[in-house]
Amino acid sequence: MSTLDLIEQIRSSSRLMVRELGFMNATLAATDYSPSAVHSLLEIDSRGAMTATQLAQLLGLEKSSVSRMLTRLLAAGELAEKPSAEDARVRLLRLTGQGKATVGRINEYGARRVMEALQQLNAAQQQQAAQGLTAWAQALERCRTGEKAAIPAPEIITGFVPGAIGRIAAMHGRYYAENHGFGTYFEAKVASGLAEFATRVDNERNHIWLAVCGGNIVGSVAIDGEDLGDNQAHLRWFILDESCRGTGIGKKLLDAAVAFCDQQKFASTQLWTFKGLDAARRLYEYYGFSLAKEWQGDQWGKRITEQQFTRYGNGQ
């Protein structure tokens, strides 16, 4: 999916959520209050007490708008305003007994709506929805506050983990379909090759490395020391998720793979690719691979200029 398509999909989904959650209505969550008033009651409840200034900053609203809304809530008996014990000049907003009862009804209504929606999804989709909404809400908040995201660095682990075959095949399938027009034949070939390799990965001449970030596989590379014979290694399934391209994680994966080849004293390491993958080619050449052959072929289901790169033992 292109960036423009992604933007339009998110905008369209956001509009739908606004409508379905009731934010187009004058009142919200089965109350007589506006969305901003409902939000205020929930935030004051979660924090115990807060000032009007703090609430305005939290909601991202003008102080005058917050002041008018709080005046209505105070008059309705939902809130009480009392001096702070630390500084009598500071006025703290707290829920009254009536306000706590109102928040209870709001929470009950909200939980019911969420539960009804969750029932439309399977378990995996439920987790994806929760994680995606959390990440998106935090990203929007950082845009408003100017805070930079603390992006965890991917961790390099060795060996297959549950779901690795499907995830690596999916990364290959999606990237090469979107950027080079490959189809299901290619993805199926990747998946079947990985499945076969998984049955013999415990051989000391074979290895696979995964880049994992936040529990998700975002990159991979493997050395197959058996399939070519003649003391040759085969570098396979080098792929990075779009989220981590340009972060240096690809170099870390190849560091591990090349070090393994040198440790095992392979006479040479071979890899097969095709013309046009310039960023990957620069990485291969950095590690001592050089173009050995080039021809027109269709082993991946599409006629392209295929290439074979070779790296001799210890980079010589």
Side-chain angles (χ1 to χ4, degrees), residues 26-300:
T27 61
L28 185 68
T31 71
D32 294 328
Y33 298 124
S34 66
S36 60
V38 169
H39 208 114
S40 296
L41 292 172
L42 291 172
E43 295 300 339
I44 294 171
D45 175 60
S46 68
R47 289 163 174 76
M50 62 194 310
T51 67
T53 298
Q54 290 171 332
L55 182 63
Q57 292 173 341
L58 179 66
L59 299 182
L61 297 175
E62 294 290 335
K63 289 183 180 180
S64 58
S65 299
V66 172
S67 178
R68 288 192 296 272
M69 179 261 296
L70 290 176
T71 297
R72 290 192 289 272
L73 290 175
L74 286 164
E78 304 286 1
L79 297 176
E81 194 174 39
K82 296 182 179 179
S84 167
E86 289 77 21
D87 188 343
R89 294 170 299 177
V90 176
R91 310 289 291 180
L92 293 176
L93 296 160
R94 300 179 186 273
L95 293 178
T96 63
Q98 176 185 320
K100 291 178 180 179
T102 299
V103 167
R105 291 192 297 273
I106 292 170
N107 285 333
E108 181 182 355
Y109 174 85
R112 186 170 65 252
R113 290 293 309 278
V114 171
M115 182 58 68
E116 290 171 352
L118 285 175
Q119 290 172 353
Q120 307 300 314
L121 306 174
N122 61 37
Q125 290 172 325
Q126 291 173 4
Q127 291 296 321
Q128 290 171 353
Q131 293 170 1
L133 283 170
T134 298
W136 183 241
Q138 291 172 347
L140 289 172
E141 182 181 32
R142 288 193 295 269
C143 288
R144 179 173 61 85
T145 63
E147 179 185 354
K148 296 294 184 182
I151 301 175
E155 174 189 7
I156 304 297
I157 65 174
T158 60
F160 279 103
V161 299
I165 294 174
R167 173 60 178 154
I168 296 169
M171 284 192 293
H172 277 81
R174 184 173 298 112
Y175 175 78
Y176 287 100
E178 292 178 356
N179 294 279
H180 300 284
F182 286 15
T184 54
Y185 176 87
F186 169 75
E187 187 172 344
K189 186 169 184 175
V190 170
S192 62
L194 278 163
E196 189 277 330
F197 179 71
T199 65
R200 52 188 178 82
V201 72
D202 291 337
N203 185 311
E204 64 178 10
R205 301 280 273 176
N206 302 330
H207 222 67
I208 187 166
W209 296 263
L210 305 174
V212 179
C213 185
N216 297 316
I217 296 172
V218 295
S220 69
V221 69
I223 293 295
D224 189 336
E226 293 183 277
D227 67 332
L228 299 181
D230 199 25
N231 196 33
Q232 296 186 90
H234 185 182
L235 189 147
R236 311 178 74 178
W237 305 302
F238 178 51
I239 188 74
L240 298 176
D241 185 77
E242 289 186 4
S243 65
C244 63
R245 292 196 179 105
T247 64
I249 196 63
K251 187 174 183 298
K252 290 182 179 180
L253 286 168
L254 288 178
D255 278 341
V258 167
F260 176 77
C261 290
D262 290 343
Q263 178 188 15
Q264 293 291 322
K265 300 186 185 303
F266 287 110
S268 64
T269 303
Q270 310 290 340
L271 69 88
W272 280 263
T273 182
F274 59 91
K275 190 173 183 178
L277 301 178
D278 297 333
R281 176 172 180 167
R282 286 192 292 270
L283 264 179
Y284 299 146
E285 291 176 338
Y286 174 83
Y287 285 97
F289 286 89
S290 58
L291 182 62
K293 296 179 183 178
E294 190 173 80
W295 67 98
Q296 291 295 306
D298 58 1
Q299 68 163 315
W300 290 297

